[in-house]
Amino acid sequence: MTQTREKRVTLWQLIERDHKNIGGLIRDIPLALNDPRAVGGREQMLADLMDELKLHAIAVDASLYAPLSRESRTRALIEELHHGHAEFRRHLQRLAQDRTKGSAGWLDTFEDATFLVDQHLHRHVHELIPAAQALFSPEEVAAATRAFVRAKTNALRSRRRGRATGIMSSEVTLVATLAGVAVGLGYLIWNSGRFGRSRSN
């Protein structure tokens, strides 16, 4: 039973879920161009994509970037991923501020920006996660999962407090899901002294 529970709350599955959500938004945004209210819908969906990417970055930074940046074998990778995130973030911010381009030009720029996002997430799957799996003990994976959940939950709550309007139902569901994950991990010891400490030290 314990093994089944651990598999259900694994960090890798939480990251995969985020990647699927981000990929779905990237696929859906071009479809908004066919809507009579294209500009408004397009801009809102782009804002949703940027929010999702920001939440994911906060959670991954707390759970993987922070400890792996202290490891000599992965420090350079983390620096590159930080630069990659900053680059596609700049592209998306410029796109969000663009009010002059027609739909075709906007879509071309969007595709260029999301190509960088796809590359970044590809590196998560094929470089970041394998490196973490090779370096982390089971206890450290559990600690990283809790760090992911806590960081994302806190970011969601902060975003809700900063909004004047009501809470989106999808956000309520996500917070509840993350809270359930945290409860499922409650029996594990938070080994803060060991987690994130470089083995080389």
Side-chain angles (χ1 to χ4, degrees):
M1 180 67 70
T2 300
Q3 291 179 349
T4 302
R5 178 179 290 179
E6 289 181 18
K7 288 181 181 179
R8 288 178 180 172
V9 296
T10 179
L11 173 63
W12 325 124
Q13 290 177 324
L14 292 174
I15 292 174
E16 181 183 8
R17 172 180 173 169
D18 276 5
H19 287 192
K20 287 182 178 178
N21 290 340
I22 291 166
L25 284 168
I26 290 174
R27 289 190 300 271
D28 289 344
I29 289 173
L31 301 178
L33 297 179
N34 298 322
D35 193 303
R37 300 164 296 176
V39 175
R42 181 181 66 197
E43 290 176 352
Q44 181 57 57
M45 293 176 74
L46 179 61
D48 291 343
L49 173 62
M50 294 176 69
D51 282 346
E52 190 71 23
L53 286 166
K54 183 177 180 179
L55 288 170
H56 182 65
I58 289 170
V60 172
D61 189 80
S63 58
L64 295 181
Y65 285 11
L68 291 177
S69 65
R70 301 184 186 99
E71 294 280 353
S72 59
R73 286 171 285 179
T74 50
R75 189 174 299 119
L77 171 63
I78 300 306
E79 291 177 357
E80 291 172 6
L81 290 172
H82 273 302
H83 289 309
H85 177 267
E87 183 179 5
F88 75 67
R89 186 77 182 175
R90 284 193 298 270
H91 280 72
L92 291 173
Q93 286 173 339
R94 286 198 295 267
L95 190 62
Q97 296 166 359
D98 186 354
R99 298 290 186 274
T100 60
K101 287 186 177 180
S103 295
W106 193 96
L107 183 57
D108 289 341
T109 307
F110 173 79
E111 289 177 348
D112 291 340
T114 53
F115 175 75
L116 297 176
V117 175
D118 288 338
Q119 282 187 321
H120 186 76
L121 300 185
H122 184 271
R123 295 196 71 181
H124 276 191
V125 173
H126 296 283
E127 297 180 58
L128 178 68
I129 291 176
Q133 290 173 331
L135 290 170
F136 285 2
S137 67
E139 293 80 10
E140 287 168 326
V141 172
T145 305
R146 292 191 63 163
F148 185 100
V149 169
R150 287 176 175 176
K152 193 164 188 180
T153 302
N154 289 339
L156 279 166
R157 287 172 176 164
S158 296
R159 188 171 71 179
R160 274 168 30 200
R161 286 194 297 267
R163 289 180 174 176
T165 57
I167 305 170
M168 295 171 58
S169 60
S170 60
E171 289 187 5
V172 174
T173 301
L174 182 53
V175 170
T177 299
L178 293 173
V181 171
V183 170
L185 288 171
Y187 68 95
L188 295 172
I189 296 174
W190 178 256
N191 191 350
S192 59
R194 183 181 181 193
F195 176 58
R197 184 187 303 150
S198 172
R199 289 182 174 81
S200 61
N201 293 333

